[in-house]
Amino acid sequence: MKVYIKTAAIIFLLTSSAVAQQVPQLGKHTIKEVIGAMTLDEKVDFIKGIGMGVSSGQNGPVAGSIGGRVIGAAGATTKIPRLGIPEIIVADGPAGLRIEPVKIMNSSEVRYATAFPMGTAVASSWNTALANKVGKAMGNDVLQFGVDVILGPGANIQRNLLCGRNFEYYSEDPVVAGNIAAAFIDGVQSNNVGVSIKHFAANNQETSRNYIDVIISQRALREIYLKAFEIAIKKSQPWTVMSSYNKINGTYASESHELLTTILRDEWKFKGMVMTDWFAGRDYPLQVKAGNDLLMPGRKRESQKIKEAIENNEISIQDLDRNIEKILGLILKTPSFKKYNHQNAPDDKNNAMISKQSAAEGMVLLKNNNVLPFREKRIALLGNSSYDTFVGGTGSGEVNIAHSVSFWEGLSKAGFKLDNRLKSSYMGHIEKEKLARPKRNNILEAIKPVGELNVERSKMDTLANSSDIALITIGRNAGEGTDRSVTNDFNLSDQEMTLIKNTADIFHQKGKKVVVALNIDALIDVASWKDLVDGIIITWLPGQEAGDAFAEIISGKTNPSGHLAQSLPLKYTDVPSAGSFPGLPKERPTKSYYNEGVYVGYRYYSSFNKPVCYEFGFGLSYTQFSITNSTISNSKFKEAVDVGITIKNIGKTAGKEVVQLYVSAPGKTMEKPEIELKGFEKTELLSSGKSQKIKFTLTASDLASFDSSRSAWVVEPGTYKIKIGNSSKNILRTITFEVDKEIIVEKVTDVLKPKEAFEEIKVANQ
Ligand code: BGC
């Protein structure tokens, strides 16, 4: 009997291990074999995430948290242990890793991710090497905190300055947005973790974001809105792409085969995985069919619908398998799959340094009437945001941080003399105002600046006597889900205008100067008050080291070198999309007509001769630069032209310059913007008298425009002007070359066509 039982046990062990061996395991067997072993139920479960609020947390279940092991992560994929498939974790971006701070077991220590400057600030540096460093540092946080993919960067075009998520995005120009995104992605992914470039595509507003239908021409889509993604995706192969909430010409982005398969996969050769934005789209089987591989964050009903669609032959099992293959391909690359033993040990010191450096380099000096830099001065520090500085936006773009340095703190650490009584008044005022806020509508209320402290003229007079200079900060913040408004965001409030006017009036009477810092998420009105003050600097939302970066710029320790990556109009109504944003019908827009076509930002202002307050590409320095030499390889275009310039620091202070290359096309056979940015480069830190050579190469695809009638990228013949400068207006060199005959660079598929006729503005009609 005993012998019998033993034999049976051995037989059982042998057969069960044989069975175990037969079950394909991810990593040990091919992806196809693993998919072959999945049941239909496993498959339809696997192509969606694990949902919200289902985390097991670090120390057991945590109600309301999401994303498996990492509390505060945005989501996770479904694990299938029997096939060796682990869950992987995704968490927001793009200004830093958005997770809950991590409590270290058996210790009182809590560890935080770093908050870097907002996307626009990084882009304002025009420094791809710096964007790469930011990505590298952020990616290290991703790895250290046990996350596999960060949900960023945001490569949407800043079509209208009222978009509530502009702060997460880079620029109104696709060459800036695409190249900064590419550098950032390379940086993140050098840590062997992934990114999700988002929100693909034409997600340019928050109003009605879940259902707005973007009605847009194929040309504007290809040349502006898709271009930023195309550049970044082709250059840096992000691990994942996030499809957007909106519709494009009638179809949800996440349900669009034309967008996600024809363009992204077939034309651009994207090899990675596509996920939806959170709860995006309506028709889940259609999402599967479109090539939207993963549905996030994941709901049961999605699996049910997809199963039904398979059973009813509405979608094929091949579609499902193809998507699963992409998800598994992603999982194979991740730290979770490789069982990376993350220690929740971020490199805080290095991260803080990169955060500060990028914050300082993204600050844009707009006006400097011999006032900056200054040291050792007694500053009358005014404006709520000087004390309660906005360091980052809200919503998924927010970062939970350990600390942040306000402007007050940064300036006082740097040795400036500040008035402590003034500080107390401001702090008391801010606290009181915040407490008095209506409790409802919390999120919105929390991000809006509180009313400015009213500094009486008599008090201002005393301040002016005891200070050498006045520094006023005007603050704005924004977040996902709502757009900005002209009245509350773009325009200054009466209190803010009074503060600027009174300060300027009283300080100037005493021969003292006034500087305004703009601690803002996106551009605001400057034209109506810029003449009243002596200096203006945009600090953006500069991340956790805000005040230290700011003090470096004010004191001259860092020479400002940020330039605007968007145009600042004279007034909101000058914005080319002002009439059509956020869409129709006005009460609850469902359609957004992109009537301005390719004329977004400076493409519009330069072509329609509209004056602006500060032009795209503008930014001052404490030194001056000049271009001392320029060359072109050939004046007849063959396959490419090389343009060389030498730039020299002709001032007294070391500094960096942004060299911008624009092209004016002949515009004879096609409508063309007056100028288009085709290249840019940030110099190294050049000390006084030093020069740097910079080379740009322009290929036919750089010069091509999209001809919708032929569905082709075409270079028209004629004389092209290359304009090199340090802003879109300040052109320092112009070089011409000829294209003898038309070049068809690429024929593409005729997709994403508008289904209704609508007007697009034309220079010829103005
Ligand atoms: C946002 C995405 C974000 C996701 C996960 C969505 O509401 O649009 O940008 O990555 O939530 O938090």
Side-chain angles (χ1 to χ4, degrees), residues 562-579:
H563 285 236
L564 291 175
Q566 49 290 113
S567 316
L568 176 50
L570 284 170
K571 50 187 189 312
Y572 173 69
T573 46
D574 288 345
V575 174
S577 56

Side-chain angles (χ1 to χ4, degrees), residues 8 19 28 41 75 90-91 99 161 190 205 239 279 321 446 520 590 616 634 642 704 745 761:
V19 170
K28 298 203 180 88
D41 283 327
V90 302
I99 53 168
L161 46 77
S190 69
Q205 65 187 65
W239 286 12
F279 306 109
D321 288 355
I520 51 177
T590 53
F616 175 84
N634 37 305
D642 289 338
V745 181
I761 56 170

Side-chain angles (χ1 to χ4, degrees), residues 52 66 72-75 90-94 98 150-152 165 168-169 196 198-199 203 206 209-210 242-245 275-279 296-297 395-397 480-481:
M52 307 279 282
I66 45 180
V90 302
D92 281 301
R98 181 166 165 258
I150 185 164
L151 305 174
R165 291 187 90 170
E168 296 184 62
Y169 305 146
S196 195
K198 66 190 188 184
H199 308 91
N203 182 183
E206 290 301 284
R209 69 168 176 168
N210 290 307
M242 187 191 291
S243 55
S244 56
Y245 284 127
M275 69 177 88
T276 59
D277 197 346
W278 268 228
F279 306 109
M296 289 301 278
S396 55
E480 180 181 347

Side-chain angles (χ1 to χ4, degrees), residues 174-478:
V175 170
V176 176
N179 284 289
I180 295 287
F184 172 85
I185 294 168
D186 283 342
V188 173
Q189 294 192 164
S190 69
N191 293 280
N192 297 317
V193 294
V195 302
S196 195
I197 187 170
K198 66 190 188 184
H199 308 91
F200 188 60
N203 182 183
N204 311 106
Q205 65 187 65
E206 290 301 284
T207 306
S208 314
R209 69 168 176 168
N210 290 307
Y211 48 84
I212 195 80
D213 188 3
V214 169
I215 311 295
I216 185 172
S217 70
Q218 289 167 299
R219 180 174 178 192
L221 198 54
R222 293 264 187 182
E223 286 188 18
I224 309 289
Y225 299 93
L226 294 181
K227 197 67 182 178
F229 286 95
E230 183 181 355
I231 294 171
I233 288 167
K234 285 184 172 168
K235 277 197 162 176
S236 61
Q237 283 293 329
W239 286 12
T240 82
V241 168
M242 187 191 291
S243 55
S244 56
Y245 284 127
N246 53 289
K247 294 179 188 168
I248 302 171
N249 292 326
T251 308
Y252 278 108
S254 64
E255 298 172 8
S256 171
H257 189 271
E258 296 188 338
L259 179 71
L260 303 181
T261 297
T262 312
I263 293 184
L264 182 63
R265 257 82 182 226
D266 300 345
E267 291 180 6
W268 298 355
K269 312 284 177 240
F270 173 66
K271 298 277 179 283
M273 192 205 77
V274 177
M275 69 177 88
T276 59
D277 197 346
W278 268 228
F279 306 109
R282 299 285 186 276
D283 188 329
Y284 318 126
L286 217 53
Q287 291 179 321
V288 170
K289 210 170 170 175
N292 195 120
D293 308 304
L294 179 65
L295 276 53
M296 289 301 278
R299 286 169 288 187
K300 253 211 155 61
R301 66 168 184 262
E302 292 162 351
S303 305
Q304 280 155 5
K305 291 266 184 229
I306 291 163
K307 194 173 172 191
E308 279 162 30
I310 296 263
E311 286 166 351
N312 299 336
N313 287 325
E314 284 159 24
I315 57 168
S316 70
I317 196 81
Q318 284 79 10
D319 284 332
L320 195 60
D321 288 355
R322 178 204 55 208
N323 294 5
I324 292 175
E325 192 177 327
K326 296 287 178 196
I327 308 174
L328 290 176
L330 168 71
I331 293 178
L332 272 175
K333 296 199 265 192
T334 58
S336 284
F337 179 76
K338 294 177 185 157
K339 298 200 168 55
Y340 179 76
N341 185 13
H342 70 94
Q343 298 294 318
N344 297 317
D347 190 351
D348 286 338
K349 224 170 137 194
N350 181 59
N351 288 1
M353 188 190 76
I354 306 281
S355 183
K356 185 179 82 174
Q357 197 187 334
S358 49
E361 198 159 328
M363 293 185 186
V364 185
L365 183 61
L366 292 182
K367 177 170 181 176
N368 191 11
N369 184 8
N370 289 321
V371 55
L372 287 160
F374 55 79
R375 281 171 211 260
E376 315 269 319
K377 287 214 172 167
R378 294 170 302 167
I379 307 176
L381 190 61
L382 300 154
N384 298 336
S385 305
S386 297
Y387 299 90
D388 190 17
T389 306
F390 291 118
V391 302
T394 67
S396 55
E398 187 168 5
V399 186
N400 296 311
I401 40 173
H403 75 283
S404 67
V405 187
S406 68
F407 289 172
W408 180 87
E409 234 180 305
L411 292 168
S412 68
K413 271 204 272 173
F416 289 103
K417 293 186 189 62
L418 305 168
D419 186 327
N420 274 323
R421 272 176 315 171
L422 187 60
K423 181 192 176 207
S424 304
S425 310
Y426 267 104
M427 295 309 276
H429 165 76
I430 294 165
E431 209 186 313
K432 215 172 87 204
E433 290 275 312
K434 282 190 175 170
L435 279 175
R437 271 183 162 155
K439 289 286 167 284
R440 280 201 290 146
N441 202 2
N442 236 331
I443 304 173
L444 237 192
E445 291 298 330
I447 62 174
K448 295 298 169 201
V450 299
E452 274 301 334
L453 173 71
N454 176 23
V455 183
E456 307 273 332
R457 282 187 77 92
S458 57
K459 189 160 180 203
M460 189 69 87
D461 204 71
T462 321
L463 269 176
N465 287 334
S466 62
S467 318
D468 302 309
I469 197 160
L471 180 47
I472 308 171
T473 308
I474 301 293
R476 291 287 183 278
N477 203 355

Side-chain angles (χ1 to χ4, degrees), residues 605-664:
Y605 301 111
S606 63
S607 310
F608 288 75
N609 295 316
K610 275 259 171 200
V612 290
C613 183
Y614 289 104
E615 72 271 14
F616 175 84
F618 182 85
L620 298 173
S621 163
Y622 297 151
T623 189
Q624 299 81 41
F625 297 89
S626 95
I627 293 180
T628 53
N629 188 31
S630 56
T631 58
I632 184 159
S633 55
N634 37 305
S635 56
K636 287 242 180 282
F637 187 85
K638 284 175 200 121
E639 270 162 20
V641 282
D642 289 338
V643 178
I645 62 126
T646 307
I647 179 130
K648 185 174 181 189
N649 182 346
I650 52 166
K652 295 197 177 71
T653 320
K656 298 181 183 179
E657 180 61 302
V658 175
V659 182
Q660 302 160 35
L661 185 150
Y662 297 87
V663 168
S664 288

